Amino acid sequence: SRPILDMSYSRHFLDFQGSSIPSSMKKLMVTKLSQNFREAVTLQQDAPVPLPGDGDLLVRNRFVGINASDINYSAGRYDASVKPPFDIGFEGVGDVVALGLSASADYTVGQAVAYVKAGSFAEYTVVPARQAVPLPSVKPEFLTLMVSGATAYLSLKELGDLSEGKKVLVTAAAGGTGQFAVQLAKKAKCHVIGTCSSDEKGGFLKSIGCDHTINYKTENVESVLRKDYPEGVDVVYESVGGKMFDLALNSLAIKGRLIVIGFIAGYQNPTGLQPIKAELLPAKLLKKSASVRGFFLNHYLSDYKMALKQLLEMYERRDLVCEVDFGDMSPEGKFTGLESVFRAVDYMYMGKNIGKIVVELPHSVNSKL
């Protein structure tokens, strides 16, 4: 049966502030495959604003999240069949400004939503209603939970086997996802050790409950772990790769578990990898009955809504700190507008951020901020 297009519903294609949605917008596109984000990505000034289909929402993005894997995506590492040009950006928070007829059963114009979908680095994004997450308001803190919080929650729940008294090492602990791994491990009554690159980050980690911080710029992480945890650590939440992976592997206790959620140290290399001493891996794992497990959020989407619901409830109860870094301390100031996404990616790879890097997209229409 052919779907009937109800033109009487055209009022839904009006901006909720009363002014009509523009016909063109700014957006970022991958125009060349490269791990160098600035080389790969182009800012388009006059891309057409997409129209939502029957089951879709048109979201005016107010905040978009920066992820380490943005440069894996721009390098074409996730799907070799996709050729440029293609959209980029994984997550956004904004207002519904238009919607299709079926989508109107659950959503209304003006509603705040978050989503995880390629194409968020744009002023407007079409989001299938079934993939959207309704929010009480448009707040950047909600964005921290979409990918970073959910990754920590699901990986530790599914692979971490956390229980009281376990020793948990979180690498890049003050980053977008590390902050959640620290807090969730503490909620499971574990002893948490976090690595970071500055005393300021160490102070932040202590404020969210981290028991032991190690500044890898001024301390030898391996020596500290060997001295303070001679029996090893039970779980590692690892996102750095390279030498940090080797070090974490060597620090595992008997039956220890190392969860790989990324390897940011290698992403800017042409291959996306940094060498590890993998030839010794079988012997090391066997000697300790230890395991290394990979975690990629896309493989756990059946549990995603449940995880997000739990995280949102924890945040609403003020039981979870969702640290947002807008780049206020960066040389050129706050990350505002799509133009600043390039700076925000650089800032992440310089290891400057505390918490999740978020870019604000201001709009000429009163944005109610």
Side-chain angles (χ1 to χ4, degrees), residues 72-107:
N72 285 336
Y73 202 64
S74 72
R77 290 179 186 142
Y78 285 160
D79 186 350
S81 68
V82 179
K83 299 287 179 269
F86 55 86
D87 296 344
I88 190 164
F90 291 130
E91 53 187 345
V93 165
D95 310 290
V96 175
V97 292
L99 72 174
L101 188 54
S102 297
S104 70
D106 299 304
Y107 288 91

Side-chain angles (χ1 to χ4, degrees), residues 5 34 72 77 90 105 116 121 136 149 158 237 248 275 280 335:
L5 185 64
S34 171
N72 285 336
R77 290 179 186 142
F90 291 130
V116 175
F121 292 165
E158 298 292 326
Y237 184 83
L280 302 173
F335 302 133

Side-chain angles (χ1 to χ4, degrees), residues 43-58:
L43 175 64
Q44 279 196 310
Q45 296 286 351
D46 55 354
V49 172
L51 283 177
D54 180 59
D56 297 333
L57 312 173
L58 181 64

